[in-house]
Amino acid sequence: MNSSDTQQAHSLLTAAAVRERAHEMLAIGVAGGLDPWRVDLDRLPEVARYVAAVIRDRYPTLAVPFHARWRHFAVDGVDQWGPAAGVRDWLDPASRARAEFDLAIVSVLLDAGAGPDWSYKDAVTGRILTRSEGLAIASLRMFEAGAFSITEDDPWRVDAVALTFLTAADLARGFQASSDNPLVGLDGRAALLRRLGQACLAQPDLFALEDEPRPGGLFDAMVDRADDQDRLPAPTILEVLLEALGPVWRDRLTLGGVDLGDCWTHPAMKRGDATDGLVPIHKLSQWLSYSLVEPLQTAGVQVTDLDGLTGLAEYRNGGLFMDLGVLTLKDPADAEKPWPVSDPLVVGWRAMTVALLDRIAPMVRAELGVTAGAMPLASVLEGGTWAAGRRAAAERRPGGGPPLTILSDGTVF
């Protein structure tokens, strides 16, 4: 195995690499070098005003929380997790953090697009929920019921061994999925969780520092990387996740024996080394990184450099830039075709989305009269571009679906 290739592979497993190559892709697009795409940066101020209006509407005090899975555990504004966790008799702050890591990791890995025809009726609230919120509450209810635990006296945990036996039928029951209520990528989601269980068992140095192998063991792995003042840079959260979760992704690229995860090829990304053509994005892992910030903070860890992570290359953010005219397809017929996630058209779209989020964040803050400290990128996303993308889609298409049809196995978008 080529050690140089291995080193270069690890260089792609960082938020900095995502950001660098995303901005390079956007520059190529602006110069007209991406065949399917036309880029109009002059539209960004209008998009920034649209996003700012959405933020004012949703958060009139401009106190916007981080973009994280925890936001989706609320139904009609009522948090379904925090109050219950707050009154539970935890052994110590770390035990709560491990449980929250367990819940967040499984829930985020189950959070790829549900499709337009699936819904979940929550027995606790009586509400019928769809899309990300429905997936979140369904996964929360499974977690509360002990569906991922084999520890008799502790249902609120995810045991690696339990994951390795999880079937699509188990998941279908928990998510109320059926032929009449189809959930996109059900088999892929179940297989992903089985591979997560296998990865936990195979890497006890990362997943079993204080306990039996479980996703929550990553809490201890991250605390070990904090400095002597309990400070942990957010990009380090991502690096730990990419190291630990690399084996769970199926049929992805590798380099030097290293799993590259959400990393794809694009002919415009020129390099004179083994990373030629490679475009790292790491959307789901960064979404998970944002979602682990609050459990770390609750346990006393000070998470720094939050803006070191990037925006998320998913269809709400990417759709926002398409629907409001920053990114347009040169051939309108391309919008009618289904595209595999590996196609350069999609890779370019996703990479440019990351760079455009960096471009638009300071413009949104200027519209709102707030500082980056008061509204980091994680809050711009939440307030924000993700919600604005959903709103723009609903204004333009029945059902509010994305402007592109992406063929996904349930592990990317």
Side-chain angles (χ1 to χ4, degrees):
M1 192 174 298
N2 188 322
S3 61
S4 175
D5 284 0
T6 301
Q7 290 175 341
Q8 290 178 47
H10 284 294
S11 76
L12 297 173
L13 301 181
T14 67
V18 174
R19 178 166 275 121
E20 175 194 354
R21 298 195 182 206
H23 281 276
E24 184 174 333
M25 187 74 76
L26 179 61
I28 295 167
V30 169
L34 299 183
D35 289 341
W37 292 104
R38 185 176 293 109
V39 183
D40 184 359
L41 296 183
D42 290 339
R43 303 284 296 175
L44 276 179
E46 182 181 337
V47 181
R49 287 190 288 273
Y50 185 92
V51 173
V54 170
I55 291 175
R56 286 195 188 98
D57 184 37
R58 299 181 72 228
Y59 298 96
T61 67
L62 303 186
V64 185
F66 298 154
H67 193 51
R69 191 55 163 164
W70 307 105
R71 308 292 83 78
H72 293 156
F73 293 136
V75 177
D76 295 331
V78 179
D79 184 3
Q80 301 294 305
W81 167 254
V87 299
R88 197 170 197 246
D89 185 21
W90 301 101
L91 182 64
D92 53 29
S95 64
R96 173 174 176 169
R98 291 182 196 110
E100 291 182 330
F101 267 52
D102 277 343
L103 172 59
I105 290 169
V106 166
S107 188
V108 166
L109 291 183
L110 290 170
D111 187 39
D117 301 319
W118 174 83
S119 64
Y120 176 80
K121 183 169 184 180
D122 181 33
V124 176
T125 63
R127 289 297 308 276
I128 295 176
L129 306 165
T130 60
R131 299 192 181 274
S132 280
E133 291 82 356
L135 293 168
I137 295 299
S139 62
L140 173 62
R141 300 308 181 206
M142 288 186 73
F143 179 82
E144 292 172 332
F148 307 114
S149 172
I150 57 169
T151 306
E152 278 190 25
D153 59 349
D154 188 6
W156 283 18
R157 59 179 285 140
V158 176
D159 287 303
V161 171
L163 291 180
T164 63
F165 289 103
L166 189 78
T167 66
D170 295 329
L171 214 52
R173 279 192 295 274
F175 281 74
Q176 301 172 1
S178 66
S179 57
D180 295 327
N181 188 33
L183 177 61
V184 170
L186 188 65
D187 288 335
R189 293 171 206 264
L192 183 64
L193 290 190
R194 288 196 297 273
R195 292 195 298 274
L196 172 62
Q198 292 158 1
C200 292
L201 294 170
Q203 301 175 89
D205 56 322
L206 284 171
F207 289 100
L209 297 184
E210 296 288 340
D211 206 345
E212 291 299 308
R214 58 189 288 200
L218 287 181
F219 168 75
D220 301 278
M222 290 182 189
V223 169
D224 277 356
R225 286 161 171 79
D227 67 15
D228 56 8
Q229 296 181 327
D230 293 327
R231 292 178 304 199
L232 180 69
T236 302
I237 298 173
L238 176 65
E239 289 163 25
V240 173
L241 287 175
L242 292 175
E243 176 188 354
L245 300 182
V248 311
W249 308 113
R250 184 178 58 189
D251 300 328
R252 298 288 176 83
L253 298 174
T254 63
L255 177 61
V258 177
D259 295 291
L260 297 181
D262 186 5
C263 180
W264 309 89
T265 59
H266 195 289
M269 191 58 54
K270 303 296 187 184
R271 288 294 186 277
D273 58 28
T275 69
D276 183 57
L278 295 179
V279 182
I281 295 177
H282 307 313
K283 176 260 170 176
L284 209 59
S285 298
Q286 294 206 78
W287 171 226
L288 181 50
S289 298
Y290 284 121
S291 299
L292 297 181
V293 169
E294 288 159 75
L296 285 160
Q297 290 175 328
T298 300
V301 178
Q302 181 186 350
V303 178
T304 61
D305 191 19
L306 193 61
D307 279 358
L309 297 173
T310 78
L312 302 181
E314 44 78 48
Y315 68 81
R316 290 305 182 198
N317 290 321
L320 173 70
F321 294 118
M322 287 185 67
D323 283 335
L324 296 189
V326 179
L327 300 175
T328 55
L329 289 164
K330 293 176 182 175
D331 183 354
D334 283 344
E336 307 304 319
K337 303 173 185 176
W339 295 95
V341 292
S342 59
D343 193 279
L345 182 145
V346 177
V347 176
W349 176 49
R350 297 182 73 207
M352 287 192 292
T353 295
V354 170
L356 288 168
L357 290 167
D358 274 350
R359 290 284 194 102
I360 205 171
M363 301 168 76
V364 171
R365 295 182 192 114
E367 287 285 333
L368 297 171
V370 298
T371 65
M375 192 175 288
L377 180 58
S379 297
V380 174
L381 295 172
E382 175 61 27
T385 57
W386 187 88
R390 173 181 273 189
R391 182 173 296 185
E395 291 168 352
R396 286 159 177 79
R397 287 175 294 281
L404 276 183
T405 300
I406 308 299
L407 300 172
S408 174
D409 64 357
T411 64
V412 176
F413 281 92

